[in-house]
Amino acid sequence: MTDTIHDEPHDAKIGEKLNWLRAGVLGANDGIVSVAAVAVGVAGATTLIGPIVTASTAALVGGAISMALGEYVSVSSQRDTEKALIEKERRELAEMPEEELAELTELYRQRGLSDETAHRVAVELTEHDALAAHLEVELGINQNDLTNPWHAALSSAIAFTLGALLPLLAILLPPPEWRVPTTFVAVLVALAVTGTVSAALGGAGRVRASLRLVIGGALALAATWVIGVLLGTTVL
């Protein structure tokens, strides 16, 4: 019994870690689909390897930077909000400690503790670290572990780049007549895998999640390939 208990995960940040992992999978999906769509579109217009490499590489670099910038801005805004909430809570604790203690007691009471136990827990936590207690219970914030925008930006850029390398290699390695079919197959298989992983992390249905990604990716590739063929016929 004791061994079973010790083997159980008790990491309070496990949900956040899963969210980061799921975000990495989604970033890889973006890299796979967006770069594959560009590569297939250009390959539909021309068999010359130069334009395909140029367009695909530009899509990879631009997409990675865009993902990193978007994540940096988003997480920076979240971090600024968290800091503002921390300062607000610190100010309230200094200006009206009794009201804050009563608020903390009520929060624990709402979690199922008796009046006496809730008050005792609130008092002991307040004596130990009032700010940390209020941030955790009221806001779910750990002041020593705020989100880092640079980490988020770097993670997004890496995830996008890793995902984008698959279609880039798939379009470049085969002979001209096999470039588009190979890319289609490689991308759809990769989307099926990442869809399954993402669904497993989120506890959702794996088949449905994979089908959504595969169908969406197939439509994107088909659309850009048709556009490339049409433009290549009429313009080039």
Side-chain angles (χ1 to χ4, degrees), residues 136-223:
E136 179 182 358
V137 179
E138 290 184 43
L139 306 171
I141 294 176
N142 183 345
Q143 62 179 328
N144 298 317
D145 191 24
L146 298 181
T147 51
N148 189 314
W150 288 107
H151 290 171
L154 182 60
S155 298
S156 295
I158 292 175
F160 185 94
T161 300
L162 291 177
L165 287 176
L166 173 69
L168 186 59
L169 293 175
I171 202 77
L172 296 181
L173 296 181
E177 64 272 16
W178 285 102
R179 285 172 185 163
V180 173
T182 300
T183 303
F184 262 81
V185 173
V187 167
L188 297 184
V189 170
L191 290 178
V193 172
T194 56
T196 300
V197 173
S198 180
L201 293 174
R206 301 183 183 186
V207 174
R208 180 177 298 180
S210 296
L211 281 177
R212 281 198 296 259
L213 281 177
V214 169
I215 293 173
L219 290 175
L221 295 183

Side-chain angles (χ1 to χ4, degrees), residues 11-228:
D11 187 357
K13 306 294 288 183
I14 187 65
E16 182 176 335
K17 291 178 180 178
L18 289 177
N19 286 335
W20 277 100
L21 184 55
R22 190 154 49 241
V25 173
L26 295 176
N29 281 342
D30 287 341
I32 292 170
V33 175
S34 58
V35 173
V38 171
V40 167
V42 178
T46 178
T47 58
L48 296 177
I49 197 65
I52 298 175
V53 172
T54 300
S56 300
T57 303
L60 188 156
V61 175
I65 294 174
S66 177
M67 286 286 292
L69 181 60
E71 196 68 17
Y72 178 83
V73 171
S74 175
V75 174
S76 293
S77 298
Q78 178 183 340
R79 186 181 178 91
D80 291 342
T81 300
E82 290 173 340
K83 287 183 175 180
L85 290 172
I86 291 172
E87 290 305 314
K88 178 177 180 292
E89 197 63 40
R90 182 180 283 114
R91 185 172 59 253
E92 290 176 348
L93 285 168
E95 295 175 353
M96 42 185 183
E98 295 183 1
E99 290 84 348
E100 288 296 296
L101 177 60
E103 181 183 24
L104 188 60
T105 300
E106 177 60 27
L107 289 171
Y108 278 111
R109 187 182 295 113
Q110 292 175 3
R111 292 191 172 192
L113 299 181
S114 66
D115 293 350
E116 181 182 353
T117 303
H119 179 70
R120 184 166 63 252
V121 170
V123 169
E124 291 184 6
L125 289 177
T126 298
E127 291 174 350
H128 175 69
D129 190 335
L131 180 60
H134 280 267
L135 291 177
E136 179 182 358
V137 179
E138 290 184 43
L139 306 171
I141 294 176
N142 183 345
Q143 62 179 328
N144 298 317
D145 191 24
L146 298 181
T147 51
N148 189 314
W150 288 107
H151 290 171
L154 182 60
S155 298
S156 295
I158 292 175
F160 185 94
T161 300
L162 291 177
L165 287 176
L166 173 69
L168 186 59
L169 293 175
I171 202 77
L172 296 181
L173 296 181
E177 64 272 16
W178 285 102
R179 285 172 185 163
V180 173
T182 300
T183 303
F184 262 81
V185 173
V187 167
L188 297 184
V189 170
L191 290 178
V193 172
T194 56
T196 300
V197 173
S198 180
L201 293 174
R206 301 183 183 186
V207 174
R208 180 177 298 180
S210 296
L211 281 177
R212 281 198 296 259
L213 281 177
V214 169
I215 293 173
L219 290 175
L221 295 183
T224 54
W225 180 76
V226 169
I227 291 173

